[in-house]
Amino acid sequence: PTGAVSLAPSPINLTDHLVISEVQVAGAKAEDEFIEIYNPTATLISLSNYSIQYLSGRATSTDRILKRNFPEASEIPAGRFFLLVNNGATSSWVSRADLTYSSFSLSGERTGGILFLASSTSMVQDINDLNIADRVAFGEVALAGISTSSAPATNQSLERKANSENCAA
């Protein structure tokens, strides 16, 4: 039509680091929980020096972080996902897990919590720790300086898009 303006779509700003892309806190069984990590970059990333760390929403400091280090051979190809599943889970996606964990339980604190993806196997020291590659906070969190999403309901998850506006680091 005459006078129509064609607008080119805005490019999506993909982030340049691993992101926590989805989290389920509990399912039919409390242990039916998972953490999904996404690699939005154009290169394979080794997880051998990474860890996933969890802090209860009640915590007022990072002194009580619980963690799971990634095994030496763990890696995420470009544009692919890595699935961590509680080893007590019974959901159908357990068989697709890349790694299981038992060092913490997200369902233990359904009202809130913080997940850190750290580019180190050392414990996160504070919310500004330079080893934090990404973090997701949900529900009520007592730790100052953290913004949160709503805590997901049972059998629901929080899903994040991997653009730079949605991923903290």
Side-chain angles (χ1 to χ4, degrees):
T2 309
V5 177
S6 176
L7 298 175
S10 301
I12 294 175
N13 264 342
L14 289 181
T15 188
D16 61 352
H17 58 83
L18 296 175
V19 296
I20 300 169
S21 56
E22 190 171 3
V23 176
Q24 179 170 304
V25 177
K29 184 177 164 188
E31 292 82 11
D32 287 339
E33 59 184 49
F34 67 84
I35 304 161
E36 180 186 77
I37 299 170
Y38 176 61
N39 177 359
T41 73
T43 60
L44 178 135
I45 296 178
S46 170
L47 294 171
S48 63
N49 290 316
Y50 278 75
S51 60
I52 192 78
Q53 302 185 29
Y54 174 70
L55 186 63
S56 163
R58 294 183 200 168
T60 56
S61 74
T62 58
D63 293 346
R64 295 188 167 240
I65 281 186
L66 302 170
K67 73 177 177 110
R68 171 70 158 100
N69 294 337
F70 290 89
E72 192 70 27
S74 299
E75 56 189 25
I76 306 178
R80 302 297 297 265
F81 296 90
F82 191 95
L83 182 62
L84 294 95
V85 177
N86 184 302
N87 68 353
T90 58
S91 300
S92 61
W93 31 259
V94 172
S95 63
R96 297 188 317 251
D98 296 298
L99 181 66
T100 60
Y101 60 89
S102 62
S103 51
F104 55 85
S105 175
L106 303 176
S107 63
E109 185 71 39
R110 282 194 196 175
T111 58
I114 307 167
L115 276 169
F116 298 97
L117 176 61
S119 58
S120 168
T121 56
S122 299
M123 296 291 205
V124 167
Q125 297 301 306
D126 60 50
I127 63 168
N128 298 311
D129 191 310
L130 296 177
N131 291 316
I132 298 172
D134 195 26
R135 70 174 173 238
V136 170
F138 56 89
E140 297 175 23
V141 174
L143 196 61
I146 298 283
S147 60
T148 67
S149 299
S150 298
T154 299
N155 285 320
Q156 299 293 312
S157 65
L158 294 175
E159 184 176 10
R160 300 165 73 217
K161 302 297 180 196
N163 62 37
S164 59
E165 289 81 26
N166 293 334
C167 299

